[in-house]
Amino acid sequence: MSAPFRSGFVAVFGRPNVGKSTLVNALVGRKVSIVSDHPQTTRRRITGVVNREGVQVVLLDLPGFQRPFDSLTRRMQTAVDDALGEVDAALVVLNVTESFGGGDRYILEAVAAADVPAVFVLNKADLVDEARLAERLAEARAIVGEREILVVSALRGRGLEDVLGRLSDAMPAGPRYFPEDQSSDQPIELLVAELIREQVLVRTREEVPHAVAVEVVDLEEREDRPLIEIQAQIIVESESQKAICVGKGGQVVKAIGSGARREIESLLGVQVFLSLRVKVRKRWRRDDRYVDHLL
């Protein structure tokens, strides 16, 4: 008699900028979550699907733990808080290049005390020496006790097979939640909007990233040739932020569009025509209805 198919959902926890999205992308084998050095890069729960022989692991990339201060961050934190009661396992990501703070300890203690299997990883191991690594391992073990802690580098692909092995072992018997060829449950419009926002984060200064959102206004596949036409708006909160996103002579928004178009074409496997405009919507992050519309 063959072993039953196993499947389950795994919440990926960690403070902002510990490398959760990079790790999820690496485990899935393709980009399902955008990546940048700015906090609040991940604003909604992103699903990444990993298929192995007899097992399906559904990773939920969550916003980083933080103190809520507006409608946007309250929703981000709620998504994180709710996850522990809904999943079959937890994956906790720590940044080995930094000393652990209160946020790290809160996450470690909450997950260690929860009634779910947990995998703990120290990420960015390619950036530290053995002495620093040993110091961080000791810090983590002081909190989680005898539980195993894996050392990984999501960027370099180090330790990923061990992580997948532990997560696969933790999955209960269950159905295949997603088709074998599906890597995420995000609608195309949301994926496209996130890839555009990623380019904004890469190419703008510190005063813009928190205040930027992207809304896809229209996405249409041409019938006469393999081409997808996309119209999207970059939303900011002030005229000064708009000026930064547009740039002198429109150079910044052109660079955003070029970078995003390449990412979208790689994702969709078809030529893309992308039209971008920058629009000011004051205090959009405090507007509950608009935040609901975006997320």
Side-chain angles (χ1 to χ4, degrees):
M1 183 176 178
S2 60
F5 191 85
R6 292 179 294 116
S7 62
F9 292 82
V10 178
V12 185
F13 292 103
R15 286 193 303 109
N17 296 335
V18 297
K20 298 187 303 297
S21 296
T22 300
L23 180 58
V24 168
N25 290 338
L27 293 172
V28 173
R30 63 173 294 186
K31 179 178 281 190
V32 295
S33 192
I34 67 171
V35 177
S36 90
D37 292 332
H38 296 286
Q40 294 188 30
T41 298
T42 301
R43 289 176 171 171
R44 63 173 66 85
R45 187 170 75 178
I46 305 296
T47 301
V49 183
V50 180
N51 290 291
R52 309 187 91 199
E53 184 67 32
V55 183
Q56 184 174 82
V57 179
V58 183
L59 300 168
L60 305 177
D61 184 11
L62 301 168
F65 269 66
Q66 60 187 306
R67 185 185 302 276
F69 57 86
D70 56 27
S71 293
L72 175 62
T73 50
R74 280 196 297 274
R75 280 160 174 74
M76 292 165 65
Q77 192 62 44
T78 297
V80 172
D81 292 340
D82 290 346
L84 263 178
E86 301 174 348
V87 296
D88 301 289
L91 173 59
V92 179
V93 186
L94 301 164
N95 181 358
V96 75
T97 69
E98 300 175 353
S99 294
F100 301 152
D104 294 302
R105 289 182 171 82
Y106 175 83
I107 296 166
L108 286 168
E109 290 170 358
V111 173
D115 189 25
V116 295
V119 177
F120 300 91
V121 303
L122 288 178
N123 190 28
K124 305 188 182 183
D126 55 305
L127 300 180
V128 298
D129 58 22
E130 292 299 321
R132 177 68 64 87
L133 177 58
E135 183 180 333
R136 295 292 172 267
L137 276 169
E139 281 187 73
R141 287 192 177 117
I143 300 171
V144 303
E146 297 302 315
R147 300 213 191 188
E148 182 181 27
I149 301 170
L150 301 175
V151 176
V152 309
S153 169
L155 190 63
R156 304 297 180 191
R158 173 183 171 183
L160 300 185
E161 189 59 34
D162 288 338
V163 175
L164 276 178
R166 302 302 189 279
L167 293 176
S168 296
D169 291 344
M171 295 298 94
R176 187 182 295 278
Y177 291 102
F178 295 92
E180 198 165 359
D181 60 351
Q182 185 173 343
S183 58
S184 181
D185 65 348
Q186 290 189 92
I188 289 178
E189 288 83 0
L190 285 182
L191 284 167
V192 166
E194 286 291 89
L195 291 174
I196 296 169
R197 186 165 68 92
E198 181 179 46
Q199 292 300 312
V200 178
L201 299 181
V202 168
R203 300 171 192 277
T204 57
R205 299 200 295 271
E206 290 298 324
E207 59 265 42
V208 174
H210 296 303
V212 70
V214 174
E215 183 175 1
V216 172
V217 177
D218 187 55
L219 188 151
E220 185 175 353
E221 188 171 357
R222 289 279 294 268
E223 295 183 359
D224 57 333
R225 58 194 174 110
L227 175 70
I228 293 178
E229 296 180 341
I230 301 169
Q231 296 180 39
Q233 295 180 150
I234 298 170
I235 311 296
V236 293
E237 291 187 320
S238 69
E239 291 293 337
S240 62
Q241 292 166 352
K242 178 178 178 179
I244 292 170
C245 287
V246 173
K248 186 176 180 180
Q251 290 302 306
V252 175
V253 74
K254 288 177 183 176
I256 291 169
S258 295
R261 179 177 50 78
R262 288 192 295 271
E263 291 286 344
I264 296 166
E265 287 179 340
S266 176
L267 174 72
L268 302 181
V270 67
Q271 186 179 359
V272 167
F273 173 79
L274 176 62
S275 174
L276 289 179
R277 61 178 294 224
V278 184
K279 179 180 177 180
V280 175
R281 187 183 179 100
K282 294 184 178 180
R283 295 183 291 278
W284 69 262
R285 286 176 293 173
R286 299 182 183 277
D287 184 336
D288 287 346
R289 288 187 178 181
Y290 192 65
V291 170
D292 284 341
H293 169 69
L294 288 176
L295 300 185

